[in-house]
Structure formats: structure tokens, C-alpha cells
Amino acid sequence: MSKQAEEEVYIGSIDQGTTSTRFIIYDHLARPVGSHQVEFTQVYPEAGWVEHDPMEILESVRVCMAKALDKATADGHNVDSGLKAIGLTNQRETTLVWSKSTGCPLYNAIVWMDARTSSVCRKLEKELSGGRTHFSEICGLPISTYFSAMKLLWLMENVDTVKEAIKSGDALFGTIDTWLIWNLTGGLKGGVHVTDVSNASRTMLMNLKTLEWDQPTLDTLGISATILPKIVSNSEVIGNIAIGWPITGIPISGCLGDQHAAMLGQACRKGEAKSTYGTGAFILLNTGEEITLSKHGLLSTLSFKLGPKAPVNYALEGSIAIAGAAVQWLRDGLGIIKSASEIEALASQVESTGGVYFVPAFNGLFAPWWRDDARGVCIGMTRFTNKAHLARAVLESMCFQVKDVLDSMHKDAGEKGEVKNEKGEFLLRVDGGATVNNLLMQIQADMMGSPVVRPADTETTALGAAYAAGLAVGVWTEEQIFASEDKTRTSTTFHPKIGEELRKKKLESWCKAVSRTFDLADLSL
């Protein structure tokens, strides 16, 4: 390939998140050359319920594609002729059912953090011999409101149109990746009904060993396999984009759930971990080709499978429901800040939280606690407490939750399961929107007692999807993607600055605060 031809190679990446959608175009050196992002509506029909309008999500993808293309073209990039493939990454677990014959959703998408299925979960825990961990050995996940199967059961029990469509054979189930790909590849006119191994691993319905839908699990839950999409790898040509989109005829050749895409974007090999700070926070440790079952409240899941015949990399994951969402709450719910970026300056006005501890258990607690009866608490307030203390306590809450997960990972993976640097330190790679906050990153290093490494490009989720797509069509090799020297050269490292004694005291106080959140779900209105 001539130098000019090489320079005119581009890969597009759709990043469909919980609160916004973006489309980023990368050049042959994986540098972003054009992007556009739009927020979309969060629907809260009742306390603890969260929904998205699937049609609004489709429209957001359309707008982002068109605007990013315009921007890249205006900057002199010949994207129209140079675009080779599209990668897709998405908020995981969010569930919808739509009609095969009309293409219309039969209900809003039920979002991953939605807690309406707690009664479905309790009922199953009582009925099944293995209780909460009945399916864990098969799918790596406990019974929880978090996962797609529970949301699907709720739709089957409570929405008549869904019940009828399943009965008549007109229903298609999918997570957001499936919905987008079906529509992008033609919808009613031959849309491809697929999901990838990473998204499928979050439904509770896929066997982690075989990477296929688990029939005994489907039988136990009463879910028909006919409504489920076909499972494919993270890096292969799935189908071409159909007429009617801003880009047409280009292959979709990469698909990963957002956290798995970030693992790839951060080039995490076996024994390496990353933490993504978005609406929630998600910490994954690549455990290589072996499934590690957790005894300390973590999930067994996939890192990635980079091709139909490629080996599977598995992972341990700790999922935190509320991270950046707590900052949004300070902004939108309390009006303490006008924009999320203000929190760093506000929290920096004080040296400590003044003994205030905040636990953002708004919809319960995920890893490692798994308590859907937990609710948010703020303890230790006095007349001395001001909004700066509260802002700092919110930042600390994100870091304490990550530390809890990392402690569990250390117990599950052991010394051999984690890669350390020449100084014997475990490095945590970080990414996501909130990592621009230097104070947050410093607090994270302080709470862990080990370094935090932030890459120059913190949007590693979109980058991971682009890598998977580019790999499938020969734009990049696996060696190029995992060449870590280039990445560390431009990264920023935060080293711990507080002593072991203070760290220990703060962690003890945090655990006390967490214990205060339990059994609060039925407080009177």
C-alpha cells in the first residue's frame, strides 16, 4: 500500500453509552480525526426505574455519524473514499424487545441500572436450589436486577404486546448492540439479528465455556431461543450498512460491550486491569484463557475474542452502579455545581471531607456487596460541613468503591494473576470521561496505595471498538494494537501521596458508611 493510500484509511466507531451517543472517526494511526456526541433522554417512570427510547437512540446514532463525517471532511480528510469499516460499542445489559414485522420497539429499553426486577430476582432465589448463585457456574453471574434475562422476564410478565409477539413468533430480543446492528444492516429489509460474545455474556443466558445460549438456563427461565440473536466474535465482518444511513455499504466488523471495548482500547493483556469511570465505574482484570470464578462478589466474564477462531480472553469484573452519575446528581438534583467539570475546583477548596462519607447506593449496591436493599447515605455531617466537603466526599466515594473491587480481585486472582512493574507495584489503567479530573485520579492512587495510569486519549471505549473493526478488515494487526510502549510514552501516572495509617483509617470509616446503607429500600415515602 502506498503511503498516500495508507494515510487515507479510516475506521469509524459508534459508542452508544448510557447518557450519550458518539461517533468517532480514526485514521490509520488510530488518532481521532472527527467526532460528534449527543446526549439523549433518561426516562424515570417510577423510583428505581430507568428507561431509554430505542427510536431516540437510533436517531442519535444517525446524527452523530452525519456530523462527525462533516467535521472530518471539513478538516480535509477524505473519509468518504477511505472509510474501511465501522466498530460498535454499547452500554451493556440494557434490554429491549421489538417486532420483526413492524421494526418498532414493543416497550422502552430497560436500562442496566433499572431496579424494577428485584421481585423477579427474589422469587427466583427462593425457587431455585442454588439461590442467588444458581447460574453462576454456567454464566459467571449472580441473579441480579443488573442482567438482561431478569429484564426480559419482567417484560414477558408485565407487557401484553411482548407476551403476544413472543407467542406469535414476531418478537426479537436484543441488547443495544443487537438493536443498532439490526437497524444499521437493513432492519425490516434483511437486518442481521446478532450479538457478540461480550454482550451475550451479560445476559445470564450464555454458557461462558461454549459461548452459546445455554438451553438448560433458557428452559429453567421459560425463555424461547427463537427470540435470541446469533452470537458472533468481537472482530469479524457482521454485515454492511444499508441504504438510508449517512454511511452506506461499509462493513460493521467489530462489536463489543463498552467495558470490553475499553479493555481492548487499553490493550490489557493477561494480569492487567483497567477501570472505566462513566455513569458507573467498571473494573476488569484480564484472566487469560481460563475462567476464574469469584468467591468475593465479582463477576466472571469475557475480556474479548478477537475473531471467530481466536482464543477467548476471560476477565474478572467488578461493576459499580453509580460513579459519574453521583456528580450529575450534585449538578441536576442538588444544584451544587452548574457543570460536572466544576467539581474538581470545588472539592479542592478543602484538604479533606471533614469526616463526611457519602455512599451513592441510589439503586442498591453492585460489586462486591450485591445489595439491592441498599440506599444512598451521607454520614458524619456537622455544622462545619459545607458543599466543598460534600463534593470531595462524592469523589472519594468513587475511589473507595473501586478500591473495594480491586481488593476482591486481588483475593480471587492471587499474586500470580496480576502483573506488576519492576518496583513490584500493580498499575491500574484508567479511562472514561471522569478521568480528566486530576484530583479524582490522585485520590484513587491514595486509596489504592499504588499508581494510576491515565492514557493521553481517555476515550478508550470507542478506540477499542475501532481496533476490533480494523483488525477484522486488515487495517491493524494484533501486535500493533498491543504495542504498549507507544501508549505508556504519552500517559500520565499518579502516585500515592498519603501514608498507610491514614489510608487504613479512611477505609475503615468507608466500610462503616457502607454498612449503614443496608436494608433501607422500604423506608416510608
Side-chain angles (χ1 to χ4, degrees):
M1 195 187 282
S2 72
K3 191 164 190 315
Q4 184 168 2
E6 190 181 71
E7 281 172 5
E8 291 295 340
V9 167
Y10 300 97
I11 298 287
S13 183
I14 299 166
D15 181 358
Q16 204 300 298
T18 309
T19 56
S20 71
T21 300
R22 75 181 80 204
F23 186 71
I24 303 181
I25 299 161
Y26 293 93
D27 68 10
H28 72 289
L29 295 175
R31 296 174 303 200
V33 297
S35 70
H36 191 74
Q37 180 174 9
V38 294
E39 289 196 1
F40 57 90
T41 314
Q42 306 296 306
V43 183
Y44 304 107
E46 291 183 31
W49 293 29
V50 192
E51 295 175 3
H52 291 158
D53 175 352
M55 301 309 283
E56 188 185 357
I57 286 179
L58 275 189
E59 189 52 32
S60 72
V61 170
R62 189 185 302 279
V63 169
C64 287
M65 273 182 162
K67 293 273 173 71
L69 270 173
D70 289 347
K71 288 178 188 175
T73 306
D75 286 342
H77 299 283
N78 190 5
V79 180
D80 276 347
S81 63
L83 194 64
K84 298 298 176 204
I86 299 284
L88 167 69
T89 180
N90 59 290
Q91 50 165 322
R92 304 171 303 167
E93 297 99 14
T94 297
T95 300
L96 72 152
V97 178
W98 68 96
S99 160
K100 208 187 289 185
S101 57
T102 68
C104 295
L106 299 172
Y107 191 82
N108 271 347
I110 301 180
V111 180
W112 57 270
M113 67 177 82
D114 182 287
R116 79 184 65 186
T117 58
S118 52
S119 58
V120 178
C121 296
R122 290 300 78 78
K123 184 167 169 281
L124 281 171
E125 282 173 27
K126 283 197 185 87
E127 287 172 2
L128 298 171
S129 57
R132 198 168 69 85
T133 58
H134 187 83
F135 302 108
S136 292
E137 281 209 18
I138 301 294
C139 68
L141 312 174
I143 291 171
S144 164
T145 59
Y146 185 18
F147 305 113
S148 311
M150 300 299 105
K151 301 175 197 297
L152 176 57
L153 289 180
W154 187 91
L155 288 166
M156 285 160 61
E157 285 169 22
N158 294 280
V159 182
D160 289 340
T161 49
V162 170
K163 261 186 253 182
E164 286 155 18
I166 291 173
K167 212 173 181 179
S168 68
D170 187 41
L172 294 174
F173 156 85
T175 40
I176 295 295
D177 56 309
T178 305
W179 167 245
L180 290 178
I181 291 169
W182 188 78
N183 280 284
L184 284 162
T185 55
L188 293 173
K189 295 175 182 165
V192 185
H193 189 223
V194 297
T195 188
D196 74 88
V197 285
S198 66
N199 276 296
S201 77
R202 314 297 294 184
T203 59
M204 287 184 65
L205 304 175
M206 187 186 85
N207 184 310
L208 271 185
K209 291 191 184 82
T210 65
L211 306 184
E212 289 170 354
W213 301 121
D214 189 66
Q215 197 56 52
T217 302
L218 296 177
D219 294 344
T220 302
L221 297 175
I223 293 169
S224 165
T226 57
I227 67 169
L228 303 178
K230 178 189 171 198
I231 301 172
V232 297
S233 80
N234 298 123
S235 181
E236 62 182 89
V237 174
I238 294 166
N240 290 349
I241 296 184
I243 291 164
W245 291 90
I247 295 162
T248 56
I250 304 293
I252 298 171
S253 58
C255 181
L256 310 94
D258 51 10
Q259 302 315 317
H260 314 271
M263 282 291 268
L264 186 56
Q266 287 271 32
C268 285
R269 299 173 193 260
K270 183 180 177 181
E272 296 177 335
K274 68 89 204 168
S275 178
T276 299
Y277 302 76
T279 306
F282 302 87
I283 305 92
L284 277 83
L285 173 75
N286 187 331
T287 58
E289 294 178 36
E290 298 296 315
I291 298 170
T292 304
L293 290 174
S294 175
K295 294 183 172 65
H296 300 96
L298 302 180
L299 311 174
S300 302
T301 191
L302 270 96
S303 286
F304 37 70
K305 178 179 166 63
L306 299 177
K309 295 192 169 75
V312 184
N313 270 231
Y314 290 99
L316 278 170
E317 173 174 339
S319 315
I320 294 162
I322 304 291
V327 179
Q328 287 176 321
W329 173 73
L330 282 185
R331 182 191 69 189
D332 303 337
L334 299 186
I336 284 176
I337 49 175
K338 286 194 177 68
S339 72
S341 57
E342 287 175 23
I343 192 169
E344 184 173 3
L346 179 60
S348 298
Q349 289 172 14
V350 289
E351 288 294 310
S352 74
T353 64
V356 173
Y357 287 80
F358 172 72
V359 187
F362 295 157
N363 285 21
L365 286 170
F366 285 177
W369 312 97
W370 298 106
R371 297 286 298 244
D372 59 16
D373 62 342
R375 289 296 177 267
V377 301
C378 190
I379 64 168
M381 287 183 288
T382 64
R383 280 296 298 271
F384 172 68
T385 305
N386 64 35
K387 62 184 181 180
H389 294 114
L390 186 56
R392 196 172 183 107
V394 165
L395 293 184
E396 285 196 356
S397 75
M398 292 158 74
C399 300
F400 281 128
Q401 290 182 96
V402 171
K403 165 71 172 156
D404 287 343
V405 166
L406 286 167
D407 285 348
S408 293
M409 268 179 187
H410 187 68
K411 289 172 192 161
D412 280 329
E415 287 288 335
K416 287 183 193 155
E418 296 176 339
V419 171
K420 299 196 169 162
N421 67 7
E422 61 283 356
K423 293 180 187 166
E425 298 169 316
F426 177 72
L427 303 179
L428 179 67
R429 299 155 186 238
V430 297
D431 54 65
T435 58
V436 297
N437 185 325
N438 290 327
L439 178 61
L440 178 71
M441 295 296 95
Q442 185 56 53
I443 293 170
Q444 187 67 77
D446 288 342
M447 295 313 163
M448 285 165 48
S450 56
V452 165
V453 182
R454 179 180 66 197
D457 180 2
T458 56
E459 296 304 340
T460 58
T461 304
L463 179 61
Y467 277 160
L471 183 66
V473 295
V475 170
W476 296 303
T477 64
E478 226 170 296
E479 291 71 34
Q480 287 171 316
I481 291 169
F482 285 95
S484 56
E485 299 77 33
D486 298 346
K487 294 184 174 63
T488 48
R489 204 177 297 133
T490 54
S491 60
T492 308
T493 303
F494 297 83
H495 295 277
K497 289 180 180 172
I498 68 169
E500 190 56 44
E501 199 177 329
L502 177 58
R503 180 180 304 115
K504 200 170 161 217
K505 280 185 178 162
K506 286 182 80 72
L507 290 166
E508 282 168 4
S509 300
W510 163 255
C511 286
K512 194 181 279 188
V514 170
S515 69
R516 300 287 197 276
T517 68
F518 301 158
D519 197 24
L520 296 180
D522 54 359
L523 292 175
S524 178
L525 294 174

